Amino acid sequence: MKITNKVLSLLLIFSLFVGAAGFIPPAHAVGQDEDDAYVEDSSVIIEEDNDTDAEEELEEIQGVEESSDEGALSEEELKNIKITAQSWDRGGFNGGRIGGGGSIVPKPKPSKPSKPSKPSKPSSKPSLPVKGFKNGAAGEKHLNALVGGSGHKTFKEVKVYDHKKKAWKKEKRVADAYVKGGSAIHESKVGYTNLSNFVRKQVDKDVRLRKEKRVKKVKWHFFKSATTGRIGASKPLLQYLKDHKISYEIHTK
């Protein structure tokens, strides 16, 4: 009789365990869309997977000093100027040394009127690599060639609200490509970009620069990453750009 009671007790415990287990909700796998929705929530601070943002954030927060003077000459332009000066010193471009100590300079012959030259065709746009850009620097270089930019442009003391620290700050804004003539700045993003706290501040800084008339135009560009194979931006980021009237282009061709 005692053995029977033990068996009944074990069966009762087993049945109760099975019954309780039936009420345990099954594990739910998080899909890609739900994961994106979590990542893109404004209250969640994450590190973006964009190839350029890590370097840009260090550049803007730590403050890599760059010249903010407009019209600064590049190394290549300075080199060309030196070559030009040396050419003149060796006798000018028309031959014969300048100021040659009493040498006779022949009178120039009257030149025939030249025919009007045909207008030159605009140079073709630089081609995109099929596999994408290896890093952010390569994307920035391509962007400058595409828009006729002069390289980075650093704007100081840009007022912006930091959603992570819940405070107003004055920070730098380093534009990836600066076009002097039209006073336009362009932002390059290589890889897929989310609306993180850092990216949000970049948009807000661009809006502030435009509002204060420190720039006239702003445009964002998205390029494919050869490392991740991804391109573009999340829906919240694209909507944030639209809401702030900043044009953008996803370069697929």
Side-chain angles (χ1 to χ4, degrees):
M1 190 68 182
K2 290 181 180 179
I3 297 173
T4 306
N5 287 338
K6 283 184 178 181
V7 172
L8 289 173
S9 298
L10 290 171
L11 289 172
L12 180 60
I13 293 170
F14 180 76
S15 63
L16 289 172
F17 177 80
V18 173
F23 290 98
I24 298 174
H28 178 64
V30 179
Q32 181 66 31
D33 292 340
E34 294 172 78
D35 183 62
D36 287 345
Y38 173 80
V39 166
E40 291 158 2
D41 189 282
S42 60
S43 63
V44 180
I45 306 303
I46 56 114
E47 292 297 327
E48 49 277 1
D49 57 358
N50 180 269
D51 290 356
T52 60
D53 286 339
E55 295 176 4
E56 288 182 350
E57 189 162 9
L58 284 172
E59 206 169 10
E60 292 192 13
I61 293 175
Q62 292 184 353
V64 177
E65 291 293 338
E66 291 192 27
S67 173
S68 60
D69 297 333
E70 297 180 8
L73 295 175
S74 64
E75 291 183 6
E76 186 176 353
E77 289 172 324
L78 290 170
K79 185 178 179 182
N80 290 334
I81 291 172
K82 289 180 181 178
I83 292 172
T84 302
Q86 289 171 1
S87 299
W88 277 107
D89 185 57
R90 286 194 297 266
F93 290 101
N94 295 321
R97 181 171 296 276
I98 297 176
S103 60
I104 300 173
V105 179
K107 293 182 180 180
K109 295 181 180 179
S111 58
K112 296 180 180 179
S114 58
K115 295 181 181 179
S117 59
K118 295 181 181 179
S120 59
K121 295 181 180 180
S123 58
S124 58
K125 294 181 180 180
S127 58
L128 285 168
V130 177
K131 294 183 179 180
F133 294 106
K134 293 182 179 180
N135 51 46
E140 292 172 8
K141 183 178 179 181
H142 174 88
L143 177 60
N144 275 278
L146 184 67
V147 301
S150 58
H152 284 184
K153 169 74 173 177
T154 301
F155 296 89
K156 298 179 181 180
E157 299 290 312
V158 183
K159 189 177 180 181
V160 65
Y161 185 76
D162 192 318
H163 290 265
K164 185 177 180 180
K165 297 183 179 179
K166 307 294 182 183
W168 285 95
K169 295 192 161 202
K170 284 189 176 182
E171 298 180 352
K172 289 184 178 182
R173 174 65 171 113
V174 182
D176 293 331
Y178 176 68
V179 182
K180 182 181 177 182
S183 188
I185 57 174
H186 298 260
E187 176 67 23
S188 169
K189 296 295 182 189
V190 175
Y192 188 79
T193 311
N194 287 305
L195 184 59
S196 66
N197 181 59
F198 171 67
V199 172
R200 188 196 307 271
K201 284 199 299 179
Q202 283 188 310
V203 177
D204 293 342
K205 288 176 187 178
D206 289 349
V207 173
R208 174 72 61 176
L209 290 171
R210 189 177 59 189
K211 183 179 180 181
E212 294 177 355
K213 296 182 179 180
R214 295 169 73 177
V215 299
K216 293 180 181 178
K217 298 178 182 178
V218 181
K219 186 172 182 179
W220 281 44
H221 303 257
F222 299 93
F223 300 105
K224 184 179 179 181
S225 167
T227 305
T228 64
R230 304 185 74 190
I231 184 176
S234 63
K235 289 182 180 179
L237 173 53
L238 296 181
Q239 188 60 51
Y240 200 69
L241 290 170
K242 289 178 183 177
D243 292 343
H244 290 81
K245 297 181 180 179
I246 292 180
S247 60
Y248 65 87
E249 184 175 353
I250 299 175
H251 297 265
T252 55
K253 295 181 181 179

